[in-house]
């Protein structure tokens, strides 16, 4: 029963961390718009935390390049299990229009495992909320360790 | 801004249940001891309060817990954790003397530090110590780490201190700290309830009104600096205490 309560509680209290791998700021603005009173995702218990040690869901925007891939990996490693990763926007998915640049690694999934992909340039807040909800379904199923 | 719906009332319990189901990820073993001592001390203080023990003893037990929280944060090299710990120390330094003065005020009226004796006192303490209640509400705001005194944790996790003293705690350890914080809230509200212990209804009204005022203050105030807190809370708190004690002595 206690385990079931913990499992239910997970879906009700996802703390997100938002990492910008050098996006144009479009996706970041849309992501942060979700937290404003207009969309008010805080009513689902979603809190934007700045600390990977407290975070459950990692939202990544922008193109991963050779400079920041180590930072992204480091942040991911510092999050305690169970955790979920959402890649947001065309750049996060594949590198977007920058995919052929010499410094670009490509999508977020080249560096860390991604659970949910949210397309768009920029991704709409509705799509981002939808992506986080899908990530939660996966996050709920994951076991600790 | 405040017209949004906001999280459900059980959110705090969901948060802790989720944290309990996460992996343990700590920087050193010292942290585990510190968060457990913090929780046990807070729970013991509440237990002693309801067992009607001595107020001073309760005070020392909760103070020991508060100090262990700071030690846990100081045991890690992270600058956020360190700065948070230093600020938490200043917060403890600010509210502890005021809390002691509130207990002394109760002693001056009742003649005993014992919770049982204070509860047995016939007239509401609020009538004799109205200003001490304001002093206690300052201590409550600092203890709950609410604005304008929330600088050891910075309230929201994405702000400049990324949770200050709690930065380096994660998963179950963070859950324990949250639970200890609930106990501390209960303890301080319990001390508030002593101010109108003659009637259950008025006690409940006083507690609800105090906690509601706490939330309003938290939502309408911006964070200030610790220097401002020391100057402001000590000067106002000591002045109020002085006036109340003189009035008590004269009356």
């Amino acid at each position: 029963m206690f385990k079931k309560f913990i499992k239910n509680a997970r879906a009700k209290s996802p703390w997100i961390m938002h990492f910008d791998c050098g996006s144009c700021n479009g996706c970041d603005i849309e992501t942060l718009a979700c937290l404003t009173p207009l969309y008010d995702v805080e009513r689902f218990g979603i809190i934007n935390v700045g600390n990977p040690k407290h975070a459950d869901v990692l939202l990544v925007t922008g193109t991963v390049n050779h400079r920041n891939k180590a930072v992204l990996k480091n942040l991911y490693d510092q999050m305690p299990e169970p955790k979920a990763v959402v890649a947001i926007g065309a750049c996060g998915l594949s590198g977007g229009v920058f995919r052929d640049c010499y410094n670009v690694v490509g999508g977020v999934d080249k560096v860390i495992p991604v659970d949910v992909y949210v397309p768009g340039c920029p991704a709409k807040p509705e799509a981002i909320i939808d992506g986080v909800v899908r990530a939660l379904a996966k996050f709920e199923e994951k076991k600790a360790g | 801004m405040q017209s949004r719906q906001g999280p459900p009332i059980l959110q705090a319990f969901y948060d802790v249940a989720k944290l309990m189901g996460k992996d343990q990820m700590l920087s050193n073993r010292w942290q585990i001891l510190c968060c457990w001592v913090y929780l046990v001390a807070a729970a013991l203080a509440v237990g002693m309060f309801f067992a009607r023990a001595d107020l001073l003893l309760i005070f020392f037990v909760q103070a020991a817990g508060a100090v262990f929280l700071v030690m846990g944060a100081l045991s890690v090299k992270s600058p956020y954790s360190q700065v948070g710990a230093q600020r938490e120390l200043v917060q403890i330094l600010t509210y502890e003397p005021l809390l002691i003065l509130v207990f002394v005020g109760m002693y001056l009226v009742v003649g005993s530090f014992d919770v049982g004796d204070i509860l047995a006192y016939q007239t509401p303490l609020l009538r004799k110590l109205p200003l001490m209640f304001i002093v206690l509400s300052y201590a409550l705001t600092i203890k709950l780490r609410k604005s304008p005194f929330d600088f050891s944790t910075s309230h929201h996790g994405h702000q400049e201190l990324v949770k200050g003293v709690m930065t380096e705690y994660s998963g179950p350890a963070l859950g324990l700290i949250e639970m200890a914080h609930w106990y501390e809230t209960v303890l301080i509200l319990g001390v508030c309830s002593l101010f109108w212990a003659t009637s259950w209804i008025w006690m409940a009204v006083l507690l609800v009104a105090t906690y509601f005022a706490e939330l309003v203050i938290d939502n309408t105030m911006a964070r200030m600096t610790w220097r401002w807190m020391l100057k402001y809370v000590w000067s106002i708190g000591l002045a109020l205490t002085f006036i109340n004690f003189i009035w008590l002595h004269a009356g």
Side-chain angles (χ1 to χ4, degrees):
Chain A
M1 196 193 84
F2 189 60
K3 274 190 176 161
K4 202 173 166 218
F5 181 63
I6 287 181
K7 207 176 123 182
N8 288 338
R10 263 186 210 164
K12 287 186 171 157
S13 151
W15 292 357
I16 60 160
M17 188 176 63
H18 169 214
F19 181 59
D20 174 10
C21 280
S23 100
C24 67
N25 210 19
C27 291
D28 305 305
I29 296 272
E30 301 294 336
T31 307
L32 293 174
C34 300
L35 295 152
T36 60
L38 179 63
Y39 296 97
D40 187 24
V41 290
E42 244 178 76
R43 68 180 186 269
F44 304 122
I46 299 176
I47 299 177
N48 182 21
V49 295
N51 185 349
K53 297 192 173 190
H54 296 179
D56 305 303
V57 181
L58 177 62
L59 304 182
V60 190
T61 55
T63 48
V64 182
N65 56 42
H66 288 288
R67 275 259 179 223
N68 62 30
K69 70 179 179 191
V71 180
L72 178 62
K73 184 82 173 66
N74 191 8
L75 284 174
Y76 178 78
D77 289 339
Q78 283 188 56
M79 287 167 63
E81 292 280 351
K83 54 194 169 189
V85 179
V86 182
I88 294 173
C91 301
L93 266 54
S94 64
V97 290
F98 308 106
R99 65 188 177 278
D100 291 329
C101 295
Y102 65 92
N103 61 337
V104 167
V105 178
V108 175
D109 54 5
K110 295 260 167 60
V111 183
I112 56 174
V114 175
D115 295 290
V116 178
Y117 299 87
V118 180
C121 184
K124 288 169 79 173
E126 290 91 340
I128 295 170
I129 294 170
D130 196 44
V132 172
V133 170
R134 276 161 194 269
L136 285 182
K138 294 195 175 184
F139 173 56
E140 208 177 331
E141 293 308 318
K142 284 186 185 179
K143 285 200 181 70
Chain B
M1 187 69 189
Q2 300 296 347
S3 64
R4 67 198 181 86
Q5 191 187 332
I9 200 125
L10 289 176
Q11 188 58 47
F13 299 98
Y14 295 139
D15 288 347
V16 168
K18 174 208 67 180
L19 287 171
M20 286 299 161
K22 294 204 84 177
D23 255 10
Q24 184 85 280
M25 241 177 147
L26 290 169
S27 307
N28 57 49
R29 282 155 189 269
W30 184 235
Q31 284 189 300
I32 305 175
L33 176 76
C34 286
C35 67
W36 273 107
V37 172
Y38 182 49
L39 175 65
V40 169
L44 197 65
V46 172
M48 282 163 64
F49 184 83
F50 285 103
R52 308 189 169 186
D54 193 283
L55 271 179
L56 287 180
L57 199 59
I58 294 170
F59 171 81
F60 287 127
V61 170
Q62 75 83 26
V67 168
F68 263 88
L69 176 71
V70 174
M71 286 207 280
L74 282 175
S75 72
V76 189
K77 278 186 181 171
S78 152
Y80 296 121
S81 185
Q82 293 277 334
V83 173
Q86 305 291 353
R87 290 186 182 188
E88 179 72 20
L89 270 181
V90 176
Q91 273 177 254
I92 293 174
L93 183 75
T94 314
Y95 74 75
E96 306 263 279
L98 298 180
L99 214 51
I100 283 275
L101 284 173
V102 169
F103 294 161
V104 168
M106 286 178 176
Y107 178 83
L108 288 178
V109 174
V110 180
S112 162
F113 279 116
D114 206 71
V115 177
D117 292 343
I118 295 168
L119 285 174
Y121 196 69
Q122 286 307 317
T123 47
L125 285 178
L126 197 59
R127 204 179 288 167
K128 300 226 167 156
L129 300 166
L131 299 179
M132 294 317 285
F133 190 76
I134 301 173
V135 174
L136 180 63
S137 60
Y138 275 112
L140 176 70
T141 319
I142 300 170
K143 190 76 189 159
L144 290 179
R145 304 191 189 93
K146 299 255 189 221
S147 295
F149 308 124
D150 61 340
F151 38 71
S152 78
T153 55
S154 75
H155 195 85
H156 281 292
H158 55 91
Q159 291 173 353
E160 91 280 13
L161 263 190
V162 284
K163 274 296 193 197
V165 278
M166 295 163 194
T167 303
E168 292 301 317
Y169 286 99
S170 60
L174 188 63
L176 292 181
I177 288 179
E178 284 294 316
M179 285 199 299
H181 194 61
W182 296 344
Y183 277 114
E184 287 191 324
T185 311
V186 171
L187 179 71
I188 297 275
L189 285 176
V191 176
C192 285
S193 75
L194 292 178
F195 276 84
W196 209 320
T198 48
S199 139
W200 283 106
I201 299 167
W202 283 107
M203 187 198 277
V205 169
L206 183 70
L207 288 190
V208 170
T210 310
Y211 203 72
F212 184 73
E214 210 57 66
L215 295 182
V216 170
I217 290 168
D218 186 28
N219 279 288
T220 50
M221 297 279 181
R223 185 178 320 131
M224 303 298 277
T225 61
W226 65 266
R227 281 189 186 85
W228 174 84
M229 180 185 71
L230 261 183
K231 267 188 260 177
Y232 180 77
V233 176
W234 269 8
S235 57
I236 301 254
L238 292 177
L240 289 178
T241 310
F242 193 60
I243 295 168
N244 206 151
F245 282 10
I246 287 180
W247 179 67
L248 204 63
H249 189 69

